[in-house]
Amino acid sequence: MDERTALRLLAADLPAAGDDAAVVDGLVITTDMLHESTDFPTGTTRYTAGWRSVGASLSDVAAMGAPATCAVAVYAAPELDEGELDDFIAGARDVCAEVGASYVGGDLDTHEEFTTATTAIGKTDDPVLRSGAEPGDLLCVTGELGRSAAAVRLFERGDSDRANDLFRFTPRVAAGLVLREYASAMMDSSDGLVRSVHQLAEASDCGFDLDFDALPVHDAVADVATDDDDFHALATQFGEDFELVCTVPEADFAAARDELDVELTVVGRVTDSGEVLADGDPVADRGYTHGGD
Amino acid sequence: MDERTALRLLAADLPAAGDDAAVVDGLVITTDMLHESTDFPTGTTRYTAGWRSVGASLSDVAAMGAPATCAVAVYAAPELDEGELDDFIAGARDVCAEVGASYVGGDLDTHEEFTTATTAIGKTDDPVLRSGAEPGDLLCVTGELGRSAAAVRLFERGDSDRANDLFRFTPRVAAGLVLREYASAMMDSSDGLVRSVHQLAEASDCGFDLDFDALPVHDAVADVATDDDDFHALATQFGEDFELVCTVPEADFAAARDELDVELTVVGRVTDSGEVLADGDPVADRGYTHGGD
């Protein structure tokens, strides 16, 4: 059973789960675990790890269109080194400050592999779900895709400074607060754009026509890609960019774009076909799946 | 650096941390990580693991004198087995139901060692802290001590049924809601009674006279203890019983005891000496420290 199958079971069983975050009693709550072998390539600083771990949870709050209140983290490592712990906390605190949330501490554990578990809390009585996309709506994405994919390649090449910079993303909390006024459906791109679009199609019972030529791709992707296919996979399948993927009624797009502090790009349109197409061809549901598939 | 030292640094740096749970904006939030090698002896069922992991976080909410709203968990294992995951979720959900909270899902991860990370949320504007004990107050403990210590011995002996039963505790959320009206200071006994009392002494800048003969010890401890010293260590130092340890003004004790659905036992008294004594002799700060010391 891979992670997506297991998550589907979990969602079927728990009505509050199954979106980017659970919503209960006006609270948005989401939790994530990251660990060295799969999430922190050699060269990732503890500061970046703190930022990125907590940021991943804040991104889920953003995807619900909720303000972020606070976050906690568990820091587990083979040895509790004071300098490394301080750096991790600084990163956690700085990413919280970036989105107006408080980092309020957490737990420590000794663990053979460096592992983090983070939880972020937000508040909303009116979350934006994955399930509201309507045929005709525009498919949009914030910011640029491929940052994390490019970073992983740069870590492999030993260019850790640039890779760490790319690995620290701004959780789109502010953008989510604007988009909740306009978006019919929203999620974050943590599993890659293609997989996110498939998930929106499933939750909203709709299809999508994607325009791959319109994708906003970070400059670093061109620097690391080996060829066009690789470029394309890095931008659309690797994921972990933590941008917002949303559907917006065409009449609202200009207002949403103008109100945002980050770029909002149209990358396709919602259809009633039930299929995910790009330039007329079906797009397989490929992306980043923890646990293998 | 052991975990307590690291936690002290964490607390010094983050004003919201340093008690059983952080309190921010009326929310109580706490997070814990448990893993197989240190927390789930061979024989621990996934149902018990779900109950116990989520219960540990709910206990921290209880220790603040707050009602518990909801909990989430990360389930990380080498393989995502559907039956095991279902059992874990059932345990997590049942312990939440036991205290009136909602289990709202979480995240899944593949991880070499079975590992859980749990977060519980409560709400209060008036938490009971560790820092309010006053000389003359009675030192009290809910329920019975030594359940988890006895369980670990029973797991070693292969008596897994009885051990699993002992390992599933009731988080004292209901008791915490009664005690918040009476207690001057409160925490849970997750690190053992002796360590808890030392932590109360440090936070409240006071001393304690303990009466070891008065300790409420679970019957199972006598069944597994090798001698009197062992009995004593299992009851007072092993910890992970998740009972509440609190100080209550003497004039309020009878009312608190009568209102509680669980036994409340007087095990000592707050002094102004700054020392922790039992029957006149100093009691060393020994207990269960993750990370070794």
Side-chain angles (χ1 to χ4, degrees):
Chain A
M1 187 168 63
D2 75 14
E3 185 179 323
R4 286 184 77 206
T5 311
L7 281 169
R8 256 200 296 270
L9 287 171
L10 199 68
D13 214 32
L14 293 163
D19 216 290
D20 290 68
V23 180
V24 57
D25 200 18
L27 291 177
V28 176
I29 179 167
T30 177
T31 191
D32 299 278
M33 182 178 285
L34 302 181
H35 48 102
E36 191 143 32
S37 61
T38 55
D39 300 294
F40 303 122
T42 302
T44 308
T45 64
R46 286 294 199 259
Y47 178 79
T48 296
W51 178 293
R52 193 167 171 83
S53 304
V54 172
S57 290
L58 292 169
S59 175
D60 284 329
V61 172
M64 307 303 285
T69 305
C70 62
V72 293
V74 182
Y75 176 97
E79 303 227 330
L80 296 178
D81 175 272
E82 188 175 335
E84 290 182 347
L85 178 61
D86 280 347
D87 288 347
F88 179 86
I89 293 172
R93 200 193 323 230
D94 286 352
V95 73
C96 282
E98 182 98 351
V99 301
S102 303
Y103 178 64
V104 295
D107 193 22
L108 298 166
D109 195 14
T110 46
H111 207 292
E112 208 171 307
E113 185 183 357
F114 173 50
T115 302
T116 68
T118 54
T119 301
I121 309 291
K123 288 186 179 174
T124 181
D125 290 315
D126 188 22
V128 184
L129 303 179
R130 297 179 179 180
S131 53
E134 293 288 343
D137 289 350
L138 300 177
L139 175 67
C140 307
V141 61
T142 59
E144 294 178 313
L145 303 172
R147 284 175 68 103
S148 289
V152 168
R153 290 276 171 90
L154 290 168
F155 278 122
E156 286 165 6
R157 293 181 185 178
D159 189 353
S160 294
D161 286 350
R162 193 170 170 213
N164 274 287
D165 286 345
L166 287 168
F167 241 29
R168 294 190 305 272
F169 58 92
T170 299
R172 298 298 184 196
V173 174
L177 293 176
V178 171
L179 286 166
R180 72 174 170 183
E181 304 296 332
Y182 302 103
S184 49
M186 189 156 68
M187 64 182 296
D188 79 359
S189 66
S190 51
D191 293 333
L193 178 71
V194 163
R195 180 142 287 168
S196 299
V197 171
H198 274 277
Q199 289 173 316
L200 287 174
E202 188 178 332
S204 292
D205 193 20
C206 66
F208 284 93
D209 270 346
L210 294 171
D211 177 6
F212 275 162
D213 291 336
L215 297 183
V217 182
H218 195 281
D219 285 345
V221 177
D223 297 344
V224 302
T226 53
D227 57 28
D228 282 357
D229 284 349
D230 186 47
F231 177 89
H232 198 263
L234 293 176
T236 66
Q237 293 173 17
F238 185 90
E240 304 231 319
D241 286 318
F242 305 102
E243 295 294 345
L244 296 178
V245 182
C246 61
T247 58
V248 177
E250 188 159 10
D252 293 329
F253 173 75
R257 186 193 53 199
D258 292 350
E259 208 178 314
L260 285 165
D261 286 333
V262 61
E263 201 68 35
L264 184 69
T265 306
V266 176
V267 298
R269 192 180 282 273
V270 183
T271 69
D272 58 9
S273 75
E275 283 189 293
V276 177
L277 306 174
D279 309 318
D281 296 323
V283 178
D285 184 5
R286 281 205 199 100
Y288 190 81
T289 298
H290 295 268
D293 60 351
Chain B
M1 188 167 64
D2 75 14
E3 184 179 323
R4 284 184 78 206
T5 311
L7 281 169
R8 256 200 296 269
L9 287 172
L10 200 66
D13 212 31
L14 294 163
D19 216 290
D20 290 68
V23 181
V24 57
D25 199 17
L27 291 178
V28 177
I29 179 166
T30 176
T31 191
D32 301 278
M33 183 179 283
L34 302 180
H35 49 101
E36 192 143 32
S37 61
T38 54
D39 301 292
F40 304 122
T42 302
T44 308
T45 65
R46 286 293 200 259
Y47 178 80
T48 296
W51 179 293
R52 190 166 172 83
S53 303
V54 173
S57 290
L58 292 168
S59 175
D60 285 328
V61 172
M64 307 303 287
T69 305
C70 63
V72 292
V74 181
Y75 175 97
E79 302 227 332
L80 297 177
D81 175 273
E82 186 174 336
E84 290 183 347
L85 178 61
D86 280 347
D87 288 348
F88 179 86
I89 293 172
R93 197 191 329 227
D94 286 353
V95 74
C96 282
E98 182 98 351
V99 300
S102 303
Y103 178 65
V104 295
D107 192 22
L108 298 165
D109 196 13
T110 46
H111 207 294
E112 209 172 307
E113 184 183 357
F114 174 50
T115 301
T116 68
T118 55
T119 301
I121 309 291
K123 286 185 180 176
T124 181
D125 290 314
D126 188 21
V128 184
L129 303 179
R130 298 178 179 180
S131 53
E134 293 287 344
D137 289 350
L138 299 176
L139 175 67
C140 307
V141 62
T142 60
E144 293 177 315
L145 303 173
R147 284 175 68 103
S148 289
V152 168
R153 290 276 171 90
L154 291 168
F155 278 122
E156 286 166 5
R157 292 182 185 178
D159 189 354
S160 294
D161 286 350
R162 194 171 170 214
N164 273 288
D165 285 347
L166 287 168
F167 239 30
R168 293 190 304 272
F169 59 92
T170 300
R172 297 300 185 195
V173 174
L177 293 177
V178 171
L179 286 166
R180 72 173 170 184
E181 304 296 332
Y182 302 103
S184 50
M186 188 155 70
M187 65 182 297
D188 79 0
S189 67
S190 51
D191 293 333
L193 179 70
V194 163
R195 179 141 288 168
S196 299
V197 170
H198 274 277
Q199 289 174 314
L200 287 174
E202 188 179 332
S204 292
D205 194 20
C206 66
F208 284 94
D209 270 345
L210 293 172
D211 177 5
F212 275 162
D213 291 337
L215 297 182
V217 181
H218 195 281
D219 285 346
V221 177
D223 297 343
V224 301
T226 53
D227 58 28
D228 282 357
D229 284 349
D230 186 47
F231 177 89
H232 199 264
L234 293 176
T236 67
Q237 292 172 18
F238 186 90
E240 304 231 320
D241 287 317
F242 304 102
E243 296 293 347
L244 296 178
V245 183
C246 61
T247 58
V248 177
E250 187 159 12
D252 293 330
F253 174 75
R257 186 192 53 200
D258 292 350
E259 209 179 312
L260 284 166
D261 287 333
V262 62
E263 201 68 34
L264 185 69
T265 306
V266 177
V267 298
R269 192 180 283 274
V270 183
T271 70
D272 58 9
S273 74
E275 283 188 295
V276 177
L277 306 174
D279 310 317
D281 295 323
V283 178
D285 183 7
R286 281 205 199 101
Y288 190 81
T289 297
H290 296 270
D293 63 353

